[in-house]
Amino acid sequence: MNITLIAGARPNFMKIAPLIKAIKSAQADGKNILYRLVHTGQHYDKKMSGDFFEQLGIPAPDVNLKCGSGSQAEQTAAIMIKFENELLENRPTVVLVVGDVTSTMACTITAKKLCIDVVHVEAGIRSGDMSMPEEINRIVTDAICDHFFTTSKLANIQLRKNGIEDNRIHFVGNTMIDTLYQNLDNLHKPGLWEENNLEKNKYYLITLHRPSNVDDPKNLSKLIDIILRETGDLPVVFPLHPRTKKNLDEKFLNNSKLIVVDPMGYLEFIFLVKNSKAVITDSGGITEEATVLKIPCITLRNSTERPETVTLGSNELAGTNPENLIPYLKKIKNNEWKKSSIPPLWDGKTSIRIIKKLIELYYD
Ligand code: UD1
């Protein structure tokens, strides 16, 4: 059995790493499973890609399609053309895609048109917000792939509503959380900790990259101004995504309360989440990590495809109007955040369950 694994953008790397470990462990048990790792090159900066491979122990990709930058259509087209050649030369038993990035959708379409089975890890989640490219990627991927590995019961319900039969839906948990548990004893204190005299529970952490928050420089400035004002004396650490860097007003680079840094490695970033007073973000994955670490999290979006991070976890949705953040920040400042719990099957064993199921389905 040959599996082609797709990794393209930063949030994919944490989802692929534990799957490769689980494949290696099945190989050690005598199973004849081979895998081929394809990096589409969607994220290409060392800080967005290479560092994650090193830190998470992901082997070097067997091939890099080098499809970085460009518009959504340019990126999708470039990945499809290169991935088609890859599949013609190295036809697998099955292609495995993760998450909801452009690479996920582009590789799914390409493989299905060559009549190759595709399985989707993190299937069935929906935000309902069609202005997000990720939502389109999710819908297209789930419309045509063959087996669906889900992180929540709600995702199963969504897939059934779309007419998918029960025997193609597999509720297994969250591979990103496998990576979190596998690395908790191994986190790195970043250099900025000592440089800025940071202390546990005495700083905030922000990450922003969604067009709705960062593409309008005036809105971005207003948002940061409010965060700085409402967080009192505590410092705010802000690792900058390349998209955000383009629009951040220079005045923020010399603000003594705001610690602006380059995108961080996984081990440093999770160290900062785990020790922070709260996280303010527009990412999806970080809301899951904050939930498992029980760190208060405010999401600057109107909807989430991961509702269990709000109903069970430590996350709250504040919307995209910067003013809406104020009451949430006050609650955190006053230590009045809600109690939270960890969603079912987010237990660190998801990748093992996935590989076991793939062996049942595809092993010859
Ligand atoms: C992508 C994913 C998003 C994910 C995010 C995490 C899609 C549709 N979106 O969004 O789901 O949460 O990654 O980071 O797939 N750039 C660099 N260096 C890089 C990568 C990107 O400079 O290594 C620049 C690009 O040239 C572009 C911008 O950053 O100008 C945005 O990159 P892109 O990959 O298009 O989308 P993201 O906004 O990162």
Side-chain angles (χ1 to χ4, degrees):
M1 166 177 167
N2 288 287
I3 310 177
T4 288
L5 304 168
I6 307 297
R10 188 169 56 175
N12 288 169
F13 308 139
M14 301 76 127
K15 295 170 193 167
I16 284 288
L19 286 165
I20 293 178
K21 288 204 176 98
I23 291 175
K24 287 189 173 163
S25 139
Q27 287 170 341
D29 286 346
K31 289 277 183 280
N32 183 17
I33 307 183
L34 298 174
Y35 75 90
R36 189 167 162 84
L37 179 58
V38 174
H39 190 334
T40 64
Q42 182 181 341
H43 281 178
Y44 48 89
D45 285 350
K46 188 162 167 16
K47 291 197 166 104
M48 299 292 283
S49 173
D51 288 352
F52 286 79
F53 275 70
E54 279 164 34
Q55 289 198 336
L56 300 178
I58 306 174
D62 295 287
V63 59
N64 188 324
L65 306 180
K66 298 202 169 140
C67 300
S69 290
S71 69
Q72 289 285 319
E74 284 166 338
Q75 243 179 20
T76 305
I79 295 169
M80 287 181 70
I81 293 167
K82 296 247 182 97
F83 188 50
E84 185 176 51
N85 283 331
E86 156 64 23
L87 287 176
L88 291 173
E89 280 170 26
N90 300 287
R91 190 180 175 95
T93 321
V94 60
V95 170
L96 182 150
V97 296
V98 297
D100 56 16
V101 302
T102 302
S103 306
T104 310
M105 177 190 72
C107 292
T108 300
I109 298 173
T110 312
K112 286 306 298 172
K113 291 214 170 185
L114 292 175
C115 297
I116 298 171
D117 268 22
V118 177
V119 298
H120 184 202
V121 172
E122 203 187 89
I125 60 175
R126 298 287 183 273
S127 67
D129 178 354
M130 290 297 284
S131 69
M132 289 172 65
E134 294 83 357
E135 185 72 353
I136 297 168
N137 297 339
R138 291 179 197 119
I139 291 172
V140 173
T141 302
D142 286 344
I144 57 177
C145 75
D146 297 279
H147 283 274
F148 305 80
F149 291 106
T150 62
T151 51
S152 74
K153 289 267 168 71
L154 269 179
N156 294 17
I157 293 170
Q158 176 68 45
L159 291 167
R160 279 192 207 109
K161 253 199 251 167
N162 295 357
I164 312 293
E165 307 84 348
D166 277 349
N167 63 357
R168 297 202 283 145
I169 305 172
H170 316 288
F171 174 40
V172 287
N174 193 326
T175 57
M176 196 150 181
I177 302 307
D178 290 3
T179 292
L180 183 65
Y181 283 128
Q182 283 168 13
N183 288 285
L184 270 185
D185 291 336
N186 202 13
L187 302 179
H188 290 175
K189 189 189 280 187
L192 66 89
W193 185 272
E194 310 285 351
E195 284 157 27
N196 295 280
N197 299 316
L198 294 184
E199 288 177 61
K200 186 173 172 60
N201 211 16
K202 291 195 177 151
Y203 63 91
Y204 291 79
L205 181 62
I206 330 180
T207 82
L208 296 172
H209 74 287
R210 300 259 170 230
S212 54
N213 288 319
V214 307
D215 279 4
D216 171 5
K218 268 198 201 139
N219 185 67
L220 180 61
S221 290
K222 189 169 173 197
L223 188 54
I224 309 288
D225 277 331
I226 288 181
I227 293 173
L228 292 176
R229 194 184 75 212
E230 296 295 326
T231 47
D233 297 335
L234 296 187
V236 176
V237 182
F238 190 12
L240 269 196
H241 186 280
R243 180 177 204 119
T244 314
K245 193 174 187 177
K246 287 185 204 153
N247 294 324
L248 188 70
D249 192 315
E250 280 189 15
K251 75 174 181 182
F252 291 115
L253 300 178
N254 300 313
N255 185 303
S256 59
K257 204 176 121 70
L258 188 69
I259 304 165
V260 178
V261 289
D262 281 337
M264 308 191 79
Y266 179 81
L267 300 174
E268 289 80 8
F269 183 73
I270 296 294
F271 180 94
L272 283 186
V273 174
K274 186 166 182 272
N275 289 291
S276 67
K277 184 166 180 65
V279 178
I280 304 160
T281 188
D282 58 12
S283 150
I286 294 169
T287 67
E288 299 182 333
E289 290 159 340
T291 283
V292 171
L293 296 170
K294 305 215 165 155
I295 298 296
C297 179
I298 309 177
T299 297
L300 298 168
R301 287 173 50 192
N302 294 314
S303 57
T304 175
E305 62 289 340
R306 296 163 163 90
E308 62 282 0
T309 62
V310 177
T311 53
L312 298 173
S314 59
N315 183 29
E316 293 282 12
L317 285 186
T320 50
N321 178 350
E323 304 279 351
N324 289 354
L325 246 183
I326 298 170
Y328 292 97
L329 287 172
K330 285 204 170 24
K331 265 196 188 170
I332 288 171
K333 210 168 154 192
N334 299 332
N335 297 317
E336 289 166 355
W337 206 247
K338 63 181 176 179
K339 292 262 174 299
S340 63
S341 62
I342 298 175
L345 294 190
W346 292 19
D347 59 0
K349 296 177 185 144
T350 297
S351 303
I352 292 172
R353 288 192 275 269
I354 291 174
I355 298 306
K356 207 171 148 214
K357 183 48 85 176
L358 287 180
I359 290 173
E360 254 173 71
L361 291 169
Y362 291 105
Y363 201 70
D364 32 41

